Amino acid sequence: MAEVSLKVFCSYSHKDESLRDELANHLSGFTHPGVISIWHDRNISAGEEWDDEIKENLKTADIILLLISSDFIASKYCWSVEVKTAIERWDDRKISSVEEWDHQINDNLNTADIILLLTMLAEIRRKIADDQFEFSKHALDQSILRGIHLQEIKEAIASGQVIEDYPDDKYGSSCLISGLTQANRPLHVQCSYPSRSLIKIITLYEPNSNLWNKDFTRRRSNDEQ
């Protein structure tokens, strides 16, 4: 997946610059091969309009990292510009949320693990949008049986998030994506990792509300069913 370059915008208080540098060191395993690039205001060259540069990079970022601290909270610019833009873009589903992944996949995942998963999801979305995928016989049968149309699958993946990861599946590494169609129909799509030339859609279905929580991202425990 090294050919996928996700742009990470780092929002932070200047008083936390050492923490920002520490984060950059943790993520170096992704920046060196070009999987992600990290942008922050110290990348602004002399003579450039810093406010315009920050706003432009906020608009084009794939991931916005908010390094929240007491100094961050005290910064009027961080809240009125950077946090506001992050919330607006999240509402429009134009960026991915690390916090959301932390709750959905595993409460013990660190930021680097989550960014790797987000990178994988971005490549899955790109390949699905570019028609670089195929159906297993089972998935094709299920799409016909359950009346799930191709456009609905594309819409669900474009809006969805990975809710379960199966790196050691005996049929090959895969993950489960939960998303909504434009008509707000919930769908679950299990597909292979994007390392394949064509992503394989393994199975797909409309999740049962008795088996999943209200937003269909976590399985209900036996006590909840």
Side-chain angles (χ1 to χ4, degrees):
M1 295 184 294
E3 73 274 10
V4 183
S5 182
L6 287 182
K7 183 176 179 180
V8 178
F9 182 101
C10 187
S11 174
Y12 69 104
S13 162
H14 285 173
K15 293 182 179 179
D16 295 325
E17 199 156 3
S18 62
L19 296 177
R20 186 209 69 204
D21 291 340
E22 183 179 348
L23 173 64
N25 288 336
H26 283 300
L27 298 178
S28 60
F30 304 122
T31 55
H32 291 332
V35 174
I36 66 170
S37 63
I38 299 177
W39 193 94
H40 50 73
D41 61 354
R42 295 306 189 195
N43 295 115
I44 299 173
S45 301
E48 293 181 324
E49 292 291 336
W50 63 269
D51 185 55
D52 291 343
E53 286 295 309
I54 288 174
K55 289 178 179 177
E56 179 61 26
N57 281 279
L58 272 169
K59 289 179 183 177
T60 57
D62 298 297
I63 300 171
I64 298 176
L65 286 180
L66 306 176
L67 305 189
I68 297 176
S69 67
S70 57
D71 290 313
F72 182 95
I73 293 171
S75 169
K76 183 178 179 180
Y77 189 88
C78 286
W79 279 102
S80 64
V81 176
E82 297 177 1
V83 172
K84 180 183 177 183
T85 302
I87 291 172
E88 289 172 349
R89 294 199 61 208
W90 170 241
D91 286 341
D92 292 337
R93 293 304 189 267
K94 297 293 179 61
I95 56 170
S96 295
S97 164
V98 167
E99 179 183 4
E100 177 190 28
W101 276 63
D102 192 34
H103 290 303
Q104 287 184 1
I105 302 293
N106 186 325
D107 291 336
N108 297 317
L109 281 181
N110 59 42
T111 300
D113 292 331
I114 296 170
I115 287 179
L116 182 60
L117 289 172
L118 287 169
T119 303
M120 179 179 71
L121 177 60
E123 178 65 348
I124 290 172
R125 287 173 172 171
R126 184 188 70 79
K127 285 193 169 185
I128 294 294
D130 291 343
D131 294 323
Q132 298 178 29
F133 63 92
E134 61 184 356
F135 288 90
S136 70
K137 184 179 182 304
H138 173 76
L140 184 59
D141 290 343
Q142 292 303 307
S143 67
I144 296 171
L145 179 65
R146 294 164 173 166
I148 301 173
H149 302 292
L150 177 59
Q151 185 60 31
E152 290 183 303
I153 297 169
K154 289 186 172 183
E155 291 169 1
I157 290 177
S159 70
Q161 298 291 332
V162 173
I163 58 171
E164 293 183 355
D165 186 29
Y166 316 126
D168 302 316
D169 190 88
K170 64 180 180 179
Y171 298 111
S173 300
S174 64
C175 59
L176 183 64
I177 296 175
S178 176
L180 295 175
T181 68
Q182 291 185 3
N184 285 324
R185 182 185 187 184
L187 290 180
H188 281 181
V189 182
Q190 183 184 351
C191 60
S192 66
Y193 277 10
S195 52
R196 293 169 51 102
S197 58
L198 293 177
I199 288 177
K200 175 163 282 190
I201 296 179
I202 299 166
T203 191
L204 65 164
Y205 55 90
E206 188 168 341
N208 186 328
S209 60
N210 292 323
L211 302 178
W212 295 85
N213 65 356
K214 63 181 181 180
D215 58 1
F216 305 106
T217 58
R218 280 188 182 273
R219 297 179 190 271
R220 294 185 185 275
S221 66
N222 291 333
D223 292 338
E224 295 174 311
Q225 293 181 20

